[in-house]
Amino acid sequence: ERPLVASLAPRPSAWPFCAPQMAETPSPAASTPEELAAAQAAKRAEIEAKLEALRLKRAKEEEQKTAYFGEHPGITCDGCGVAIVGYRYKCKDCPNHDVCETCYDSHQRGVVTNNLGKQVISSKPEDHRFVLYKDKSFQPLVKKAAGLTEAKSAKTKPNDPCPCGSGKKYKKCCNT
């Protein structure tokens, strides 16, 4: 049995910010403070790994998303009736149903609009699955970065000291 310890601190279950799963008795798996600290460190490492994976996933999505940003000639938004410039979202379930980014955002909030009125579409958000889309007529507005270029190393001139470290001039050592 554990010895009874008196304390002036309130019981953990009485704290308003404590999670309901916290109990006064320690779990049987972690009976010593060292084991408890090790378990907490392992859980923290697991959570940090998940967060890093999520950050990488979001960064990759943002990088890929720029490939879809541009002009979509001849395509008008079925939600607001405006020519689509920017991101174009196409419904996987409805034939020829395209929306702009603004209408896609309102769709995410549960509002489906059909101001164009050229076709009959469902007003239920759950009937639509939108994905980023571009076709052959797509004209990108964002140019891809050429990537980082490496700085060229300074060319060794004939009268410079040899880079091999011999102390001789380059033209009399390694330039031969």
Side-chain angles (χ1 to χ4, degrees):
E1 291 185 49
R2 293 186 356 201
L4 189 61
V5 179
S7 174
L8 295 177
R11 292 181 13 205
S13 60
W15 294 348
F17 51 84
C18 287
Q21 70 263 17
M22 290 183 66
E24 288 186 51
T25 59
S27 66
S31 58
T32 66
E34 293 84 17
E35 290 174 348
L36 182 60
Q40 287 175 341
K43 187 67 173 174
R44 180 179 198 84
E46 178 186 342
I47 291 171
E48 287 175 350
K50 287 181 181 179
L51 282 174
E52 185 61 29
L54 183 63
R55 283 187 201 113
L56 290 173
K57 181 180 175 186
R58 285 184 180 167
K60 183 179 178 184
E61 287 174 355
E62 285 299 318
E63 184 179 311
Q64 290 176 344
K65 198 173 178 182
T66 58
Y68 292 89
F69 189 82
E71 291 185 49
H72 303 272
I75 307 297
T76 54
C77 174
D78 293 334
C80 59
V82 178
I84 298 179
V85 176
Y87 296 113
R88 173 184 176 188
Y89 293 89
K90 186 167 186 69
C91 181
K92 287 179 137 184
D93 299 327
C94 306
N96 197 24
H97 181 46
D98 302 298
V99 294
C100 64
E101 186 174 12
T102 306
C103 293
Y104 174 76
D105 290 340
S106 66
H107 167 75
Q108 293 298 95
R109 291 188 305 270
V111 179
V112 177
T113 56
N114 186 13
N115 292 343
L116 193 58
K118 288 187 177 180
Q119 61 184 356
V120 177
I121 60 170
S122 173
S123 61
K124 298 177 185 174
E126 58 270 6
D127 292 343
H128 303 282
R129 294 182 303 149
F130 289 106
V131 293
L132 280 171
Y133 185 78
K134 64 180 178 181
D135 57 5
K136 294 177 185 175
S137 64
F138 171 74
Q139 298 169 351
L141 292 178
V142 177
K143 298 195 187 269
K144 288 189 175 184
L148 299 175
T149 57
E150 293 183 21
K152 293 183 180 180
S153 60
K155 186 176 178 183
T156 307
K157 297 180 182 172
N159 287 327
D160 289 343
C162 189
C164 73
S166 65
K168 297 180 181 179
K169 288 186 177 183
Y170 179 67
K171 68 181 178 185
K172 296 210 176 204
C173 184
C174 293
N175 193 25
T176 57

